[in-house]
Amino acid sequence: MDLFEYQGKQYFARYDIAVSAGGVALTVDEAVAQAEHAKYPVVIKAQVQVGGRGKAGGIKLANNADEVRLHAKNILGMDIKGHIVKRVWVEHASDIAEEYYASFTLDRSAKRHLLMLSAQGGVEIEHVAVVDPTAIVKLHVNPVEGLSLDSAKRAVVDARISEKARDGVAAMLVKLYECFTKGDCDLAEINPLILKPNGEVHALDAKVTLDDNAAFRHPEWDEYRATEELDEREKLAREKNLQYIGLDGSVGIIANGAGLAMSTLDVVNQVGGKAANFLDIGGGANAELMTAALEVINSDTKVKSIFINIFGGITRGDEVAKGIVEAMKRVKLRAPIVIRLDGTNATEGRAIIAAAGIAESQLISRSTMLEAARSAVEIAGKK
Amino acid sequence: MAIFVNEKTKVLVQGLTGGQGRFHGLRNRDYGTQVVAGVTPGKAGQDVEGIPVFDTVESAVAATGATASFIAVPPKAAPAAILEAARAGIGFVVCITEGVPAQDEARVFATLQRDFPKTRLLGPNCPGIISPGKCNIGITAGEIAALPTAKGPNVGIVSRSGTLTYQALYELKQRNIGVSTCVGIGGDPVPGTSFVDCLAEFQSDPETHAIIMIGEIGGTAEEEAAEFIMTHVTKPMSAYIAGVTAPAGKKMGHAGAIVSGGKGTAQGKMDALNSAGVKVGLNPTEACELMAQIIASM
């Protein structure tokens, strides 16, 4: 789960990482109240999960209430690369002497944590990596040993961070590492990490991605869930506990297993169609689960055909077939189904579907993935 | 021969008294696997359909001589379960648990590497391993796997995805091609066993004559495999990579299956494998057809 900047800053604050005084606002009046509280001058920042806010006019400086009103009014509701701004973060404007970059991620290839640190902050790190790769210090951290203050200090020196900022940045790195590990982040990034003229070191931005698998030990994440920007279909799927991702094609997809679901998208694409979604129904494809999956797909008005791709392993084909027949009685579908049923007891499953007497205009059975994809794409194209 | 497990492998199941452990543990035994013990703290002395249950892995190993562990416990308990097995001297640990936090996986992997280098972990979040006719640990339906033939040629399978593994097993069976071992390494960010580990084993296994590899988007494991293949693998290979059409920034079901910052794309992985001389199919069926052609020419 990706956090908004303001949530990232609140999360940082839990680990004693210095951030600016500020607050979140959903309306112009709230923005003024937050500004009064944070003390002028303030910065008003659009809260969207996409880069390039500044260039789009989503970050403005305000010296008084009138300026806050003007900017907050412009920014709230603004469309930044398809993301509508629903909230602004209002914080006390910081004096900046220097800008750095710091982040922790998991290096999957090395199976170690990775610190990236640079004295060139405030710009995209990908850009720095291309223009001046030597400006980025990369340090692998053994997850069992953790990051010591000494190694943090060495990294700070290697990154050629100004002498007056070294102690502050090293201490900040240790706290950020703690947030990254104990806080179960996939990514904890500060860009820019600033040095103020008074010598203080401070996180001016926050980019945090949380590991959904760790939610069980973080009740404090519940409030972040509430602001997650999901489309209606994704919300419905989450309520039903289904692994669903909305896409923009016309072939609805249901498959068992993440790999097979991904593969189904690929095959539909290969024969000239476009998938409306990714949906992994998981192991037991019973009537309840199948009904829930069909309801979610059915809520998508762009869907013109539904491709159910099931490979029976331990999940038996006959059970899946019963589930589908039962689900079709419960949900009135907007589009016909093409089913490919293979694996354990597939023959029995196909017989159950054939015996259910469902019209061919509603349900077609195909024996291979490729044939089924072709039929589903053909139907989606016809309408 | 087979890799990692064979007919002599003695398996204990951590979580045998739970729903998943019982279901799959008993299925594995029905397949012919030597399932010798279960481990559930506080339930020593009980049995599950004749399989004795112990409080600790250590006591189970002492009593039964178990050499491998099958872990089917919830995500909260999985890291401790893996380390307990390693401490008890288990050499091969299969963890099917889905939903283990990445930070825990990284810590467990680093701990195994530092303190228990003789223990190999498969998973977490993997379907397990099957050496058809010899040993099945995990959730694979044994009946869809074709037995290897004495004179071959037999195929080794290694995959990040469960259902695509089954798909490959099934397609090979329909084409009467034997399987030496099929390993599901799992779809998480820090798998205990990598493609490279499996490829090295298959390369030195006399019963394996060709290899199918099934990858997916995210990470760089397939690219690393491609590099390894170029220098170390002489056996012919076909491959399939799932997720050509996956949009960037979206996790496709598996925690590890995500394209981010332009890295981990299916196309990049297919190109790398192609350059390493692997025949890459555009869907699982095509990858198996390519393998059938390889086998036919042997």
Side-chain angles (χ1 to χ4, degrees), chain A residues 133-198:
Chain A
T134 58
I136 304 171
V137 166
K138 293 183 177 181
L139 175 74
H140 280 111
V141 182
N142 184 318
V144 181
E145 286 155 17
L147 179 75
S148 68
L149 185 58
D150 281 348
S151 341
K153 280 183 177 167
R154 275 196 299 277
V156 168
V157 172
D158 291 347
R160 301 191 294 276
I161 303 267
S162 302
E163 203 157 347
K164 56 191 178 225
R166 281 180 189 170
D167 286 350
V169 172
M172 180 76 93
L173 290 180
V174 171
K175 288 175 186 169
L176 186 62
Y177 183 74
E178 173 122 338
C179 174
F180 170 68
T181 51
K182 295 220 171 85
D184 281 302
C185 303
D186 284 338
L187 166 72
E189 180 187 80
I190 308 176
N191 188 24
L193 171 63
I194 60 162
L195 171 69
K196 295 197 214 173
N198 68 4

Side-chain angles (χ1 to χ4, degrees), chain A residues 3-6 8-9 12 189-191 203-208:
Chain A
L3 297 189
F4 287 104
E5 174 198 2
Y6 75 95
K9 285 183 170 169
F12 280 173
E189 180 187 80
I190 308 176
N191 188 24
L204 200 61
D205 199 354
K207 198 170 169 195
V208 173

Side-chain angles (χ1 to χ4, degrees), chain B residues 200-269:
Chain B
E201 292 284 329
F202 278 135
Q203 174 64 25
S204 54
D205 174 31
E207 201 190 52
T208 302
H209 306 92
I211 307 162
I212 294 184
M213 178 176 143
I214 300 171
E216 61 190 31
I217 53 162
T220 54
E222 290 79 2
E223 288 84 343
E224 285 148 25
E227 259 181 54
F228 182 81
I229 292 164
M230 263 195 250
T231 48
H232 293 86
V233 180
T234 56
K235 294 179 182 177
M237 288 185 63
S238 75
Y240 166 66
I241 305 292
V244 178
T245 45
K250 298 272 188 187
K251 266 180 202 170
M252 282 288 165
H254 289 157
I258 182 166
V259 174
S260 58
K263 284 190 184 143
T265 64
Q267 195 57 51
K269 292 168 188 293

